[in-house]
Amino acid sequence: MTVCDAISGPLAAGEAVRAFYHMGDHPHGYRYVRLIDDSEARSPEVADMNLMDGSRSALRTNSTSFVVGLSTGWIPATVHEGYDPDGGKSDVLVVLHGHFADAYHPDPEPVKNMFWRVQRRLVRPMGGGAPPPLELSLFVVRWWDYNIPQAVSRSHNVLHQGLLHDVLEASGSPHQAFGKQGTYEVYSAFVRGTADLCSLTTMPLTAMLQGQRLAALYFLWPTQRPAQERRYPGTVGAGELLILMEHMEATGVSTCWPHPVKLYRQLAGKLWASRLGLTAPNLRVPPTVEVTKAAFEADATSAAHGALLDLQNLRQEVHGGAASPLNEYRGVAKLGFSWQGEGVQPFVGIAGLVKALGRLLEGASAEAACLVQEKIEGVKCELR
């Protein structure tokens, strides 16, 4: 079979093929993935794919509450309606083999063998014309509810579907670069909470990624306060998310959204501001120190007193200028991994700082930490 026949020739009804599936092409906007645990759904005519499917079907998701599977990539299929190159159509109606599920639009049970229309160039007969080599494999972790109309701030809100579209499918995206040729794949995990991240960490996820380059994207809000997980959609435990990111990076899957885990820990945890040393004045960052939950719980007054002494020293020795007396010191306490100004408390003096830290660290995870920072007076606005 010639390359031209493989990508544009006629196809007969019932013919075994591979078809390039893309979750984002659903006519009603649903997000079906081909479930990973798919050993029962292999079509008999795909013996040459058994090796690849064998590694993927080893992943078990029956005990989890979330949906994880292939959302973009090549899937064994059968032609449902014959295709004639001279018939005036550019797509082919196929039956995709496997079990499919949508986290937001749950069916009574996973859909078996789903009908789908695929562009002819992305349908390859099983007898020849193998799919092109995959240049890229993506692992995407996102919130299960993708239909939140009130979600705003497309530029940074992980619940805004416009953001995910911009990153994954719009101009300059992986889909634009590799989708037309079918040279990439995406596995998506639609999680419902922190426990799902723990389950993902135990799965041999890297084994299923077949691309020459491997990358992961995480569209979630990490927090150090478990109560926030019940209050705000898209929020998960910071520690568990970082562990998953570290695990994936250690097995060869680079983080390309939001940042590699070491950098993300510093940025989202707000730790960077207290670790600038002598460069802080040049960057116009006010004196900042870190107070851990462990230190605060051991002796709250001593932790607050020590933090203010350190701030006074930073003001005098690094930033220059006179420091305010301890009982008049005006500052701000900030909880790491908090969002939209939610974890910020102003204070005055040692007693005020003890109170502010108590509010922020109450119910926080054991590894939580707060920044204590000299307050900048007369602020009119803040860049985000």
Side-chain angles (χ1 to χ4, degrees), residues 226-284:
Q228 302 299 89
E229 299 177 42
R230 297 185 291 271
R231 183 180 301 177
Y232 298 111
T235 303
V236 297
E240 290 80 1
L241 177 59
L242 295 176
I243 287 172
L244 174 60
M245 295 171 68
E246 288 174 341
H247 169 73
M248 297 303 294
E249 290 183 12
T251 56
V253 184
S254 302
T255 301
C256 62
W257 185 281
H259 299 285
V261 64
K262 289 184 178 180
L263 176 59
Y264 190 54
R265 188 191 304 272
Q266 296 296 316
L267 294 178
K270 301 181 174 67
L271 302 176
W272 64 273
S274 65
R275 301 177 183 182
L276 294 175
L278 297 176
T279 64
N282 295 331
L283 296 174
R284 300 296 189 267

Side-chain angles (χ1 to χ4, degrees), residues 102-167:
D102 183 302
Y104 171 75
H105 183 258
D107 299 281
E109 58 184 24
V111 176
K112 184 177 181 179
N113 299 341
M114 187 167 65
F115 286 90
W116 203 257
R117 289 198 174 274
V118 184
Q119 290 295 305
R120 174 61 186 90
R121 69 178 184 279
L122 294 175
V123 179
R124 305 293 173 88
M126 277 293 179
L134 298 178
E135 297 186 40
L136 176 67
S137 290
L138 297 179
F139 176 56
V140 177
V141 185
R142 56 191 291 178
W143 192 243
W144 70 273
D145 187 353
Y146 55 80
N147 185 28
I148 303 180
Q150 66 271 26
V152 296
S153 303
R154 181 172 182 153
S155 64
H156 64 273
N157 187 350
V158 297
L159 299 179
H160 198 300
Q161 293 309 296
L163 170 63
L164 275 77
H165 174 81
D166 292 342
V167 175

Side-chain angles (χ1 to χ4, degrees), residues 75-88:
I75 295 177
T78 300
V79 177
H80 185 71
E81 294 179 350
Y83 173 81
D84 182 353
D86 300 321

Side-chain angles (χ1 to χ4, degrees), residues 325-380:
L326 292 182
N327 62 340
E328 299 176 8
Y329 198 99
R330 297 168 64 85
V332 178
K334 303 178 180 181
L335 179 67
F337 297 102
S338 57
W339 309 94
Q340 303 299 321
E342 179 271 332
V344 178
Q345 290 284 329
F347 68 88
V348 177
I350 296 175
L353 178 55
V354 169
K355 189 174 182 180
L357 290 173
R359 288 174 177 172
L360 294 174
L361 293 171
E362 182 180 6
S365 56
E367 69 275 10
C370 284
L371 295 184
V372 181
Q373 192 172 73
E374 181 182 284
K375 185 178 181 181
I376 300 175
E377 304 291 351
V379 173
K380 302 301 181 183

Side-chain angles (χ1 to χ4, degrees), residues 6 17 31 33 63 76 79 92 96 155-156 162 165 174 210 245 268 279 286 295 300 312 363-364 378-379:
V17 296
R31 300 286 187 264
V33 302
S63 62
V79 177
V92 184
L96 300 170
S155 64
H156 64 273
H165 174 81
Q210 305 294 312
M245 295 171 68
T279 64
Q312 285 184 324
V379 173

